[in-house]
Amino acid sequence: MKHFANPDQKDWSSILRRPSLEAASLEPVVLNILKEVKEGGDDAVKRFSAMFDKCSIDLLEVSAIEIEEASSQVSEELKGAIQQAAKNISSFHKKQIPVGGPMETMPGIHCWRRSVAIEKVGLYIPGGTAPLFSTILMLAIPATLAGCREIILCSPPSTEGKLHPAILYAAKLAGVSKIFKVGGVQAIAAMSYGTSSIPQVFKIFGPGNQYVTCAKQLVQKDGVAIDLPAGPSELAVYADESAHPEFVAADLLSQAEHGIDSQVLLVAATRQLIEEVEKEIEKQLIQIPRKQIAKTVTDRSAAIQMNNVDKAMELLNFYAPEHLILSCDESEDLASKVVNAGSVFLGHYAPESAGDYASGTNHVLPTNGHARVLAGISVESFVKKISFQKLSRKGLSRIGQTVKLMAEAEGLHAHAQAVEVRLKGYVAAPEFVERKK
Amino acid sequence: MKHFANPDQKDWSSILRRPSLEAASLEPVVLNILKEVKEGGDDAVKRFSAMFDKCSIDLLEVSAIEIEEASSQVSEELKGAIQQAAKNISSFHKKQIPVGGPMETMPGIHCWRRSVAIEKVGLYIPGGTAPLFSTILMLAIPATLAGCREIILCSPPSTEGKLHPAILYAAKLAGVSKIFKVGGVQAIAAMSYGTSSIPQVFKIFGPGNQYVTCAKQLVQKDGVAIDLPAGPSELAVYADESAHPEFVAADLLSQAEHGIDSQVLLVAATRQLIEEVEKEIEKQLIQIPRKQIAKTVTDRSAAIQMNNVDKAMELLNFYAPEHLILSCDESEDLASKVVNAGSVFLGHYAPESAGDYASGTNHVLPTNGHARVLAGISVESFVKKISFQKLSRKGLSRIGQTVKLMAEAEGLHAHAQAVEVRLKGYVAAPEFVERKK
């Protein structure tokens, strides 16, 4: 790791710089696929699947039989694990279902908001060697709790035209309504514009490679919403003297194994601790299959010694990591100082992997500094809140004069008129002036 | 208005088509201003202010003395109106401050979310003849309730280098921390990148002309968040036999007077009602100063007769209007059928202008069909929710096996290792298997 000791605040920005994302060069290719699918529908989707996924698919939708077969191909052990994870994720996310009744801002003026599910949502799950079924739980469970009418899933098929059984099992369990064997830009295009077999959706969720990311960015111009801006996964660990170097090293490696672009940061109270963690990294690296990736990532990562804990928290808030582990006895005190982070893990027994899979929190989180502004996925990501108001004539009379004065001062006389026509001949109630809510 | 009677569903899309927004042609000009301000700071800002606002400004920040003077220049009547509106907006938005305590998804696994204010936000308020002080209340009040540390406001100065007194009064009242006499793209640039006098912010809110809109779009690439995608303001009215044509006409005109790009839609249960509303429009048009704009807008707008009320609601949900007025006796029944809308006004005494100014609801709302996915501005727009979790060793042991199985099935062995190092030698409690939350 690259060492820094109590760096000056003016250097934080360069020490913590993230790799810049450059998607512009992919745009022409991606735009072309989007256009072809928009115009050519299923035929174009199949053509691109043949080209990129090297598979020829007749029926894009996964059949009920295939889903049933998949279930028998997943070990009972893994099914049990997926069920337990789903149960915890469901418990945690259930608490996010918004409630909120009407209120009277003044007598006769009733205002409220109602949470309404986004009707149609699309989930994208990348293919490749490792099937990310955990992400299906993280997206489909809150979508189901929100009450989305249609929850579709697209994932690229193998060359045999199949999806991984664990993907199908998790999707079924979490409430996905339709599953399609389509990946890449053609999947994003199909969900954005609709084809004869794939329904158009209003919002697209889920990770993907740089082409998928670019496609998600571009379809926004056509009014399709997306979950979160993309960026490589990140973990920052704060460790003080109470930390176990072995645990800290394991956490850093679990982040580092994700991919060559993973971001890892260690902030430690002492130089000694940094050295101990590095020794542990060396030791543990040997034991993991993805050691090459993990080593490349940890080698280029920063380890910052910060003698002052408040300054350390300031630096971490400045960085705004996706994941933050506070490896210390006083983790709850420190937690109150966290202002910018996606998901925070407290104490010595909360590894990031607990939240990645099974504790119940969501693992789809803001990266690339967006934690300053955005939260991870929740039930709220699948609803919007509509405002309602109902006024009695008397209620309107209470704010009539206010509306008229403000509208006229803004030069909007027809706004005032909409009140006037309703209050013509109305005699204000005696409590009009002094009545207070 | 253009008449349609019970149009076929396949024609809805063309009847309800919105004007397409084309900002791409402005990009080179806007990008150049963004770049110059990013590099040149205050000097560049002042240069563009001189060029576009025809005013030479020495101190960009509005002084305390100017704010005090402004207060004396606003009539007591208007001040009272602004105060009453602020009070109602504050009452309504206070209910949006999120609460939510910790929960145990399993014994020893504590998970919770905490709402944390976005630290620095920027509000943009356009200039021109009509000072939009009402929008300041709609943005700064929820920002203040959310607890944003820095709430800055930019608005273009007059040629004399002044902001309208009502702008300054409303900004002060609503809790804005700093006010700057800067408009246009240079204001968006200054808030995005920071200058020596204007602080950098993390999220920018507020309306603007097409240049400002384009700038807000472009700065997102540099990681700055924005409130809502832009689009012209919209109103749809549903009216049945119980409606007062006079009220409906006034509502349509209040929307139509906004600007030449305003969108107005009337859906009525009978042909007769449409004709009566049109007669009323003719009558009322004479009385409003912005009659030319309002006439142009209503002339090109659609009036759709829908004999079936369920079909009418379907059409309105398909359109997903920013504002929706349900002018009928059974407005609350119909309200339960609204799936896509920004803000809904029920019954005969809730004109849009009530919500625009003083009932308490927010008037910064999703346009251009985004109401399918997005809500209007609320306290939630100024916070993000950070996840936290704390596990005891026993708690971790309860999900340890689940995490390991899932991580290994996803090919992520270091994820499993982060659990293993913590549970080495730990003997699972007897209730590990059957214990249920």
Side-chain angles (χ1 to χ4, degrees):
Chain A
M1 302 183 91
K2 293 187 210 152
H3 292 206
F4 302 90
N6 303 301
D8 203 279
Q9 192 144 354
K10 71 170 172 31
D11 298 324
W12 290 1
S13 165
S14 68
I15 295 172
L16 301 172
R17 181 159 295 143
R18 294 166 161 99
S20 64
L21 306 171
E22 194 40 86
S25 62
L26 310 177
E27 281 193 13
V29 175
V30 173
L31 276 172
N32 179 53
I33 303 175
L34 293 176
K35 182 170 162 283
E36 297 249 333
V37 173
K38 192 175 181 177
E39 289 165 4
D42 281 345
D43 287 347
V45 168
K46 290 175 190 175
R47 205 164 64 241
F48 289 115
S49 292
M51 195 184 298
F52 299 123
D53 298 323
K54 311 273 178 263
C55 79
S56 130
I57 297 219
D58 200 28
L59 276 176
L60 296 174
E61 187 172 350
V62 175
S63 69
I65 296 167
E66 284 176 284
I67 293 170
E68 217 168 289
E69 277 174 10
S71 172
S72 68
Q73 288 157 13
V74 178
S75 74
E76 288 305 315
E77 231 186 352
L78 183 57
K79 272 197 261 190
I82 293 176
Q83 283 164 19
Q84 183 173 60
K87 195 162 150 276
N88 287 351
I89 296 166
S90 190
S91 311
F92 184 64
H93 286 73
K94 252 181 205 153
K95 290 234 322 180
Q96 298 164 1
I97 299 174
V99 283
M103 69 171 297
E104 266 184 301
T105 51
M106 295 180 87
I109 304 180
H110 290 84
C111 301
W112 65 99
R113 294 194 305 159
R114 179 156 60 83
S115 276
V116 181
I118 298 172
E119 292 176 279
K120 300 187 278 181
V121 298
L123 317 182
Y124 183 81
I125 299 293
T129 46
L132 294 181
F133 53 84
S134 62
T135 303
I136 298 178
L137 303 182
M138 296 296 174
L139 296 174
I141 290 173
T144 303
L145 290 172
C148 297
R149 209 181 66 202
E150 188 142 54
I151 305 167
I152 70 168
L153 172 77
C154 286
S155 192
S158 65
T159 46
E160 293 83 42
K162 299 242 171 225
L163 294 185
H164 193 285
I167 295 260
L168 298 184
Y169 178 76
K172 182 72 185 163
L173 180 74
V176 169
S177 18
K178 286 178 176 174
I179 309 171
F180 297 94
K181 301 180 226 177
V182 183
V185 176
Q186 60 270 30
I188 304 301
M191 295 195 278
S192 300
Y193 309 118
T195 70
S196 24
S197 44
I198 304 173
Q200 183 182 33
V201 302
F202 298 149
K203 189 170 182 179
I204 297 177
F205 296 77
N209 63 20
Q210 52 183 347
Y211 290 92
V212 168
T213 296
C214 177
K216 282 174 69 187
Q217 255 166 41
L218 290 171
V219 297
Q220 290 183 80
K221 289 188 186 163
D222 290 324
V224 181
I226 67 164
D227 48 355
L228 286 170
S233 191
E234 304 161 348
L235 168 66
V237 179
Y238 174 75
D240 71 7
E241 292 85 347
S242 69
H244 305 249
E246 190 185 7
F247 300 177
V248 174
D251 291 334
L252 295 173
L253 287 173
S254 76
Q255 179 61 34
E257 76 171 339
H258 269 296
I260 208 74
D261 57 356
S262 282
Q263 302 292 305
V264 162
L265 172 69
L266 171 61
V267 177
T270 66
R271 167 84 190 192
Q272 194 195 332
L273 188 55
I274 292 176
E275 285 164 4
E276 286 168 4
V277 170
E278 285 183 313
K279 263 183 230 147
E280 271 295 330
I281 289 178
E282 293 298 321
K283 243 200 261 176
Q284 295 181 27
L285 255 178
I286 309 164
Q287 299 156 43
I288 57 170
R290 296 162 77 95
K291 56 177 76 64
Q292 211 42 63
I293 294 172
K295 187 172 159 36
T296 312
V297 170
T298 47
D299 279 355
R300 69 154 158 66
S301 297
I304 307 178
Q305 175 193 338
M306 294 293 274
N307 295 356
N308 180 306
V309 59
D310 287 330
K311 215 69 190 155
M313 290 309 295
E314 222 178 289
L315 178 136
L316 288 162
N317 282 322
F318 176 84
Y319 181 57
E322 181 192 14
H323 304 95
L324 172 63
I325 299 182
L326 300 175
S327 275
C328 47
D329 290 343
E330 270 75 47
S331 62
E332 287 184 70
D333 287 351
L334 283 196
S336 66
K337 291 179 181 157
V338 175
V339 181
N340 299 319
S343 194
V344 187
F345 300 76
L346 307 185
H348 306 299
Y349 292 97
E352 187 198 312
S353 48
D356 283 345
Y357 290 109
S359 63
T361 58
N362 209 291
H363 79 204
V364 182
L365 296 164
T367 54
N368 206 13
H370 291 288
R372 288 179 202 109
V373 177
L374 294 172
I377 295 298
S378 69
V379 170
E380 292 147 19
S381 314
F382 295 91
V383 303
K384 70 268 180 182
K385 289 182 185 164
I386 305 178
S387 301
F388 291 86
Q389 59 200 289
K390 186 165 190 181
L391 284 73
S392 63
R393 197 171 185 207
K394 197 163 171 179
L396 180 61
S397 79
R398 288 200 170 84
I399 53 166
Q401 190 60 14
T402 290
V403 172
K404 281 164 58 182
L405 281 167
M406 290 176 75
E408 276 156 14
E410 289 195 348
L412 297 171
H413 295 265
H415 280 63
Q417 195 162 278
V419 172
E420 276 164 16
V421 295
R422 285 169 164 95
L423 294 181
K424 248 184 331 197
Y426 183 80
V427 181
E431 89 282 40
F432 171 59
V433 181
E434 57 286 289
R435 175 84 176 251
K436 284 203 177 108
K437 173 74 183 82
Chain B
M1 301 183 94
K2 293 187 210 156
H3 292 206
F4 303 89
N6 302 301
D8 204 277
Q9 194 145 354
K10 71 168 173 33
D11 299 324
W12 290 2
S13 165
S14 67
I15 294 172
L16 301 172
R17 181 158 295 140
R18 294 168 161 98
S20 64
L21 307 171
E22 195 41 88
S25 62
L26 309 178
E27 280 191 14
V29 174
V30 172
L31 276 172
N32 179 52
I33 303 174
L34 292 176
K35 182 171 162 280
E36 298 250 332
V37 172
K38 193 174 180 178
E39 290 165 3
D42 281 344
D43 285 348
V45 167
K46 289 176 190 175
R47 205 165 64 242
F48 289 114
S49 292
M51 196 184 297
F52 299 124
D53 298 323
K54 312 273 178 263
C55 78
S56 129
I57 296 219
D58 200 28
L59 277 175
L60 296 173
E61 187 174 352
V62 175
S63 68
I65 295 166
E66 283 176 284
I67 294 170
E68 215 168 291
E69 276 175 9
S71 171
S72 68
Q73 286 157 14
V74 179
S75 74
E76 288 305 315
E77 232 184 351
L78 183 58
K79 273 198 258 188
I82 294 175
Q83 284 165 17
Q84 183 173 59
K87 194 162 151 274
N88 288 350
I89 295 165
S90 188
S91 312
F92 185 65
H93 286 74
K94 254 182 205 154
K95 290 236 318 183
Q96 299 164 1
I97 299 174
V99 282
M103 69 170 299
E104 265 183 302
T105 52
M106 295 180 88
I109 304 179
H110 290 84
C111 302
W112 66 98
R113 294 194 304 159
R114 179 156 59 84
S115 277
V116 182
I118 298 171
E119 291 176 280
K120 300 187 277 182
V121 296
L123 318 182
Y124 183 80
I125 298 294
T129 46
L132 294 182
F133 54 86
S134 62
T135 303
I136 298 177
L137 302 183
M138 296 295 173
L139 296 174
I141 290 172
T144 302
L145 289 172
C148 297
R149 207 182 67 200
E150 187 142 56
I151 305 166
I152 70 167
L153 172 77
C154 285
S155 191
S158 65
T159 45
E160 292 83 43
K162 300 242 170 219
L163 294 184
H164 193 284
I167 296 257
L168 299 184
Y169 178 75
K172 182 73 186 164
L173 181 73
V176 169
S177 17
K178 285 177 177 177
I179 310 170
F180 297 94
K181 301 181 227 177
V182 184
V185 175
Q186 61 271 27
I188 304 301
M191 293 194 279
S192 300
Y193 310 118
T195 70
S196 25
S197 41
I198 304 173
Q200 184 181 32
V201 301
F202 298 149
K203 188 169 183 180
I204 296 176
F205 296 77
N209 64 20
Q210 52 183 344
Y211 289 92
V212 168
T213 296
C214 177
K216 280 174 68 185
Q217 255 166 44
L218 291 171
V219 295
Q220 289 183 79
K221 289 187 187 165
D222 290 324
V224 181
I226 67 164
D227 48 356
L228 286 170
S233 190
E234 304 161 348
L235 168 66
V237 179
Y238 174 73
D240 72 4
E241 293 85 346
S242 70
H244 305 249
E246 190 185 6
F247 300 178
V248 174
D251 291 336
L252 296 173
L253 288 173
S254 76
Q255 180 60 32
E257 76 171 339
H258 269 296
I260 209 73
D261 57 356
S262 283
Q263 302 292 304
V264 162
L265 172 69
L266 171 61
V267 177
T270 66
R271 166 84 190 190
Q272 195 195 332
L273 189 54
I274 293 177
E275 285 166 3
E276 286 169 3
V277 169
E278 285 185 311
K279 262 182 232 150
E280 271 293 333
I281 289 178
E282 293 297 321
K283 243 201 263 176
Q284 293 181 26
L285 256 177
I286 308 163
Q287 297 156 42
I288 56 170
R290 296 162 78 96
K291 56 177 78 63
Q292 211 44 60
I293 294 172
K295 187 171 160 37
T296 311
V297 170
T298 47
D299 279 354
R300 71 153 157 65
S301 298
I304 307 179
Q305 176 193 338
M306 293 294 272
N307 294 356
N308 179 306
V309 60
D310 288 329
K311 216 67 193 157
M313 290 308 295
E314 225 178 285
L315 178 137
L316 288 162
N317 281 322
F318 176 85
Y319 181 57
E322 180 192 14
H323 304 95
L324 173 62
I325 299 182
L326 300 174
S327 276
C328 47
D329 290 343
E330 270 75 47
S331 61
E332 288 184 67
D333 287 351
L334 283 196
S336 66
K337 293 178 179 156
V338 174
V339 181
N340 300 319
S343 194
V344 187
F345 300 77
L346 306 185
H348 307 299
Y349 293 96
E352 187 199 310
S353 48
D356 283 345
Y357 291 108
S359 63
T361 58
N362 209 291
H363 79 204
V364 182
L365 295 163
T367 55
N368 208 13
H370 292 288
R372 289 180 200 107
V373 178
L374 295 172
I377 294 299
S378 69
V379 171
E380 292 147 17
S381 314
F382 294 92
V383 303
K384 70 267 179 183
K385 288 180 185 166
I386 305 178
S387 300
F388 291 87
Q389 61 199 288
K390 185 165 192 180
L391 284 73
S392 64
R393 198 172 182 204
K394 194 163 175 181
L396 180 62
S397 80
R398 289 202 170 84
I399 54 167
Q401 192 58 14
T402 290
V403 172
K404 280 165 59 184
L405 281 167
M406 291 177 75
E408 276 155 15
E410 289 193 349
L412 297 171
H413 295 265
H415 281 63
Q417 193 163 280
V419 172
E420 276 162 15
V421 295
R422 285 170 164 96
L423 293 182
K424 252 185 327 198
Y426 183 81
V427 181
E431 90 285 40
F432 171 60
V433 180
E434 57 286 292
R435 175 82 178 254
K436 286 205 176 106
K437 173 71 184 78

PDB file of all heavy atoms in Angstrom, chain A residues 71-91:
ATOM      1  N   SER A  71     -34.561 -24.718  -9.818  1.00  0.00           N
ATOM      2  CA  SER A  71     -34.684 -24.892  -8.377  1.00  0.00           C
ATOM      3  C   SER A  71     -34.092 -26.227  -7.935  1.00  0.00           C
ATOM      4  O   SER A  71     -33.442 -26.318  -6.892  1.00  0.00           O
ATOM      5  CB  SER A  71     -36.151 -24.794  -7.979  1.00  0.00           C
ATOM      6  OG  SER A  71     -36.310 -25.133  -6.630  1.00  0.00           O
ATOM      7  N   SER A  72     -34.285 -27.245  -8.773  1.00  0.00           N
ATOM      8  CA  SER A  72     -33.750 -28.562  -8.395  1.00  0.00           C
ATOM      9  C   SER A  72     -32.238 -28.643  -8.606  1.00  0.00           C
ATOM     10  O   SER A  72     -31.588 -29.565  -8.128  1.00  0.00           O
ATOM     11  CB  SER A  72     -34.463 -29.653  -9.202  1.00  0.00           C
ATOM     12  OG  SER A  72     -34.090 -29.545 -10.558  1.00  0.00           O
ATOM     13  N   GLN A  73     -31.690 -27.665  -9.339  1.00  0.00           N
ATOM     14  CA  GLN A  73     -30.241 -27.691  -9.579  1.00  0.00           C
ATOM     15  C   GLN A  73     -29.442 -26.899  -8.532  1.00  0.00           C
ATOM     16  O   GLN A  73     -28.217 -26.927  -8.536  1.00  0.00           O
ATOM     17  CB  GLN A  73     -29.940 -27.156 -10.983  1.00  0.00           C
ATOM     18  CG  GLN A  73     -30.355 -28.131 -12.080  1.00  0.00           C
ATOM     19  CD  GLN A  73     -30.575 -27.425 -13.411  1.00  0.00           C
ATOM     20  OE1 GLN A  73     -30.202 -26.272 -13.583  1.00  0.00           O
ATOM     21  NE2 GLN A  73     -31.174 -28.123 -14.361  1.00  0.00           N
ATOM     22  N   VAL A  74     -30.151 -26.176  -7.688  1.00  0.00           N
ATOM     23  CA  VAL A  74     -29.448 -25.437  -6.637  1.00  0.00           C
ATOM     24  C   VAL A  74     -29.428 -26.331  -5.399  1.00  0.00           C
ATOM     25  O   VAL A  74     -30.449 -26.922  -5.037  1.00  0.00           O
ATOM     26  CB  VAL A  74     -30.181 -24.111  -6.330  1.00  0.00           C
ATOM     27  CG1 VAL A  74     -29.480 -23.348  -5.210  1.00  0.00           C
ATOM     28  CG2 VAL A  74     -30.285 -23.255  -7.585  1.00  0.00           C
ATOM     29  N   SER A  75     -28.260 -26.423  -4.750  1.00  0.00           N
ATOM     30  CA  SER A  75     -28.157 -27.298  -3.575  1.00  0.00           C
ATOM     31  C   SER A  75     -29.091 -26.805  -2.478  1.00  0.00           C
ATOM     32  O   SER A  75     -29.369 -25.604  -2.367  1.00  0.00           O
ATOM     33  CB  SER A  75     -26.721 -27.311  -3.061  1.00  0.00           C
ATOM     34  OG  SER A  75     -26.435 -26.083  -2.413  1.00  0.00           O
ATOM     35  N   GLU A  76     -29.561 -27.738  -1.656  1.00  0.00           N
ATOM     36  CA  GLU A  76     -30.455 -27.366  -0.559  1.00  0.00           C
ATOM     37  C   GLU A  76     -29.769 -26.380   0.377  1.00  0.00           C
ATOM     38  O   GLU A  76     -30.385 -25.461   0.912  1.00  0.00           O
ATOM     39  CB  GLU A  76     -30.895 -28.623   0.214  1.00  0.00           C
ATOM     40  CG  GLU A  76     -31.876 -29.505  -0.552  1.00  0.00           C
ATOM     41  CD  GLU A  76     -33.124 -28.760  -1.039  1.00  0.00           C
ATOM     42  OE1 GLU A  76     -33.705 -27.980  -0.249  1.00  0.00           O
ATOM     43  OE2 GLU A  76     -33.507 -28.941  -2.218  1.00  0.00           O
ATOM     44  N   GLU A  77     -28.483 -26.603   0.574  1.00  0.00           N
ATOM     45  CA  GLU A  77     -27.692 -25.720   1.430  1.00  0.00           C
ATOM     46  C   GLU A  77     -27.725 -24.272   0.933  1.00  0.00           C
ATOM     47  O   GLU A  77     -28.001 -23.336   1.678  1.00  0.00           O
ATOM     48  CB  GLU A  77     -26.246 -26.217   1.365  1.00  0.00           C
ATOM     49  CG  GLU A  77     -25.603 -26.426   2.702  1.00  0.00           C
ATOM     50  CD  GLU A  77     -24.128 -26.769   2.519  1.00  0.00           C
ATOM     51  OE1 GLU A  77     -23.664 -26.983   1.367  1.00  0.00           O
ATOM     52  OE2 GLU A  77     -23.427 -26.817   3.541  1.00  0.00           O
ATOM     53  N   LEU A  78     -27.453 -24.089  -0.361  1.00  0.00           N
ATOM     54  CA  LEU A  78     -27.435 -22.738  -0.924  1.00  0.00           C
ATOM     55  C   LEU A  78     -28.842 -22.150  -0.916  1.00  0.00           C
ATOM     56  O   LEU A  78     -29.027 -20.968  -0.655  1.00  0.00           O
ATOM     57  CB  LEU A  78     -26.843 -22.758  -2.350  1.00  0.00           C
ATOM     58  CG  LEU A  78     -26.700 -21.383  -3.011  1.00  0.00           C
ATOM     59  CD1 LEU A  78     -25.836 -20.431  -2.167  1.00  0.00           C
ATOM     60  CD2 LEU A  78     -26.084 -21.494  -4.417  1.00  0.00           C
ATOM     61  N   LYS A  79     -29.835 -22.995  -1.198  1.00  0.00           N
ATOM     62  CA  LYS A  79     -31.215 -22.494  -1.148  1.00  0.00           C
ATOM     63  C   LYS A  79     -31.550 -21.972   0.249  1.00  0.00           C
ATOM     64  O   LYS A  79     -32.161 -20.918   0.399  1.00  0.00           O
ATOM     65  CB  LYS A  79     -32.190 -23.616  -1.519  1.00  0.00           C
ATOM     66  CG  LYS A  79     -32.434 -23.691  -3.022  1.00  0.00           C
ATOM     67  CD  LYS A  79     -33.669 -24.480  -3.343  1.00  0.00           C
ATOM     68  CE  LYS A  79     -33.299 -25.893  -3.731  1.00  0.00           C
ATOM     69  NZ  LYS A  79     -34.430 -26.660  -4.281  1.00  0.00           N
ATOM     70  N   GLY A  80     -31.109 -22.723   1.262  1.00  0.00           N
ATOM     71  CA  GLY A  80     -31.352 -22.292   2.639  1.00  0.00           C
ATOM     72  C   GLY A  80     -30.678 -20.955   2.918  1.00  0.00           C
ATOM     73  O   GLY A  80     -31.249 -20.063   3.551  1.00  0.00           O
ATOM     74  N   ALA A  81     -29.451 -20.812   2.419  1.00  0.00           N
ATOM     75  CA  ALA A  81     -28.712 -19.559   2.622  1.00  0.00           C
ATOM     76  C   ALA A  81     -29.433 -18.403   1.940  1.00  0.00           C
ATOM     77  O   ALA A  81     -29.619 -17.329   2.525  1.00  0.00           O
ATOM     78  CB  ALA A  81     -27.293 -19.704   2.075  1.00  0.00           C
ATOM     79  N   ILE A  82     -29.870 -18.636   0.707  1.00  0.00           N
ATOM     80  CA  ILE A  82     -30.564 -17.575  -0.032  1.00  0.00           C
ATOM     81  C   ILE A  82     -31.868 -17.203   0.699  1.00  0.00           C
ATOM     82  O   ILE A  82     -32.225 -16.032   0.803  1.00  0.00           O
ATOM     83  CB  ILE A  82     -30.828 -18.013  -1.493  1.00  0.00           C
ATOM     84  CG1 ILE A  82     -29.490 -18.155  -2.245  1.00  0.00           C
ATOM     85  CG2 ILE A  82     -31.731 -17.020  -2.207  1.00  0.00           C
ATOM     86  CD1 ILE A  82     -29.614 -18.684  -3.676  1.00  0.00           C
ATOM     87  N   GLN A  83     -32.543 -18.212   1.222  1.00  0.00           N
ATOM     88  CA  GLN A  83     -33.782 -17.935   1.948  1.00  0.00           C
ATOM     89  C   GLN A  83     -33.530 -17.112   3.213  1.00  0.00           C
ATOM     90  O   GLN A  83     -34.280 -16.186   3.516  1.00  0.00           O
ATOM     91  CB  GLN A  83     -34.484 -19.239   2.331  1.00  0.00           C
ATOM     92  CG  GLN A  83     -35.214 -19.889   1.167  1.00  0.00           C
ATOM     93  CD  GLN A  83     -35.558 -21.345   1.466  1.00  0.00           C
ATOM     94  OE1 GLN A  83     -35.583 -21.759   2.616  1.00  0.00           O
ATOM     95  NE2 GLN A  83     -35.822 -22.118   0.418  1.00  0.00           N
ATOM     96  N   GLN A  84     -32.467 -17.466   3.926  1.00  0.00           N
ATOM     97  CA  GLN A  84     -32.201 -16.704   5.141  1.00  0.00           C
ATOM     98  C   GLN A  84     -31.819 -15.264   4.815  1.00  0.00           C
ATOM     99  O   GLN A  84     -32.287 -14.331   5.460  1.00  0.00           O
ATOM    100  CB  GLN A  84     -31.073 -17.350   5.961  1.00  0.00           C
ATOM    101  CG  GLN A  84     -30.859 -16.579   7.257  1.00  0.00           C
ATOM    102  CD  GLN A  84     -29.872 -17.258   8.190  1.00  0.00           C
ATOM    103  OE1 GLN A  84     -28.713 -17.467   7.847  1.00  0.00           O
ATOM    104  NE2 GLN A  84     -30.335 -17.588   9.376  1.00  0.00           N
ATOM    105  N   ALA A  85     -30.990 -15.100   3.808  1.00  0.00           N
ATOM    106  CA  ALA A  85     -30.622 -13.746   3.391  1.00  0.00           C
ATOM    107  C   ALA A  85     -31.879 -12.970   2.996  1.00  0.00           C
ATOM    108  O   ALA A  85     -32.090 -11.829   3.413  1.00  0.00           O
ATOM    109  CB  ALA A  85     -29.638 -13.807   2.229  1.00  0.00           C
ATOM    110  N   ALA A  86     -32.742 -13.614   2.207  1.00  0.00           N
ATOM    111  CA  ALA A  86     -33.965 -12.955   1.733  1.00  0.00           C
ATOM    112  C   ALA A  86     -34.838 -12.540   2.918  1.00  0.00           C
ATOM    113  O   ALA A  86     -35.444 -11.455   2.905  1.00  0.00           O
ATOM    114  CB  ALA A  86     -34.738 -13.881   0.800  1.00  0.00           C
ATOM    115  N   LYS A  87     -34.869 -13.384   3.929  1.00  0.00           N
ATOM    116  CA  LYS A  87     -35.703 -13.088   5.097  1.00  0.00           C
ATOM    117  C   LYS A  87     -35.176 -11.840   5.818  1.00  0.00           C
ATOM    118  O   LYS A  87     -35.939 -10.941   6.190  1.00  0.00           O
ATOM    119  CB  LYS A  87     -35.685 -14.301   6.027  1.00  0.00           C
ATOM    120  CG  LYS A  87     -36.742 -14.315   7.079  1.00  0.00           C
ATOM    121  CD  LYS A  87     -36.920 -15.729   7.632  1.00  0.00           C
ATOM    122  CE  LYS A  87     -37.361 -15.669   9.073  1.00  0.00           C
ATOM    123  NZ  LYS A  87     -36.254 -15.512  10.024  1.00  0.00           N
ATOM    124  N   ASN A  88     -33.870 -11.777   6.019  1.00  0.00           N
ATOM    125  CA  ASN A  88     -33.304 -10.610   6.701  1.00  0.00           C
ATOM    126  C   ASN A  88     -33.440  -9.342   5.870  1.00  0.00           C
ATOM    127  O   ASN A  88     -33.742  -8.270   6.392  1.00  0.00           O
ATOM    128  CB  ASN A  88     -31.829 -10.862   7.040  1.00  0.00           C
ATOM    129  CG  ASN A  88     -31.655 -11.849   8.177  1.00  0.00           C
ATOM    130  OD1 ASN A  88     -32.642 -12.223   8.827  1.00  0.00           O
ATOM    131  ND2 ASN A  88     -30.431 -12.287   8.422  1.00  0.00           N
ATOM    132  N   ILE A  89     -33.199  -9.464   4.582  1.00  0.00           N
ATOM    133  CA  ILE A  89     -33.331  -8.292   3.704  1.00  0.00           C
ATOM    134  C   ILE A  89     -34.777  -7.813   3.738  1.00  0.00           C
ATOM    135  O   ILE A  89     -35.063  -6.619   3.804  1.00  0.00           O
ATOM    136  CB  ILE A  89     -32.892  -8.639   2.261  1.00  0.00           C
ATOM    137  CG1 ILE A  89     -31.401  -8.992   2.232  1.00  0.00           C
ATOM    138  CG2 ILE A  89     -33.195  -7.501   1.299  1.00  0.00           C
ATOM    139  CD1 ILE A  89     -30.947  -9.679   0.941  1.00  0.00           C
ATOM    140  N   SER A  90     -35.687  -8.752   3.728  1.00  0.00           N
ATOM    141  CA  SER A  90     -37.096  -8.400   3.756  1.00  0.00           C
ATOM    142  C   SER A  90     -37.465  -7.707   5.070  1.00  0.00           C
ATOM    143  O   SER A  90     -38.138  -6.670   5.065  1.00  0.00           O
ATOM    144  CB  SER A  90     -37.906  -9.677   3.541  1.00  0.00           C
ATOM    145  OG  SER A  90     -39.232  -9.364   3.339  1.00  0.00           O
ATOM    146  N   SER A  91     -37.008  -8.241   6.200  1.00  0.00           N
ATOM    147  CA  SER A  91     -37.315  -7.596   7.500  1.00  0.00           C
ATOM    148  C   SER A  91     -36.804  -6.164   7.531  1.00  0.00           C
ATOM    149  O   SER A  91     -37.497  -5.251   7.966  1.00  0.00           O
ATOM    150  CB  SER A  91     -36.622  -8.292   8.674  1.00  0.00           C
ATOM    151  OG  SER A  91     -36.811  -9.655   8.653  1.00  0.00           O
TER     152      SER A  91
END
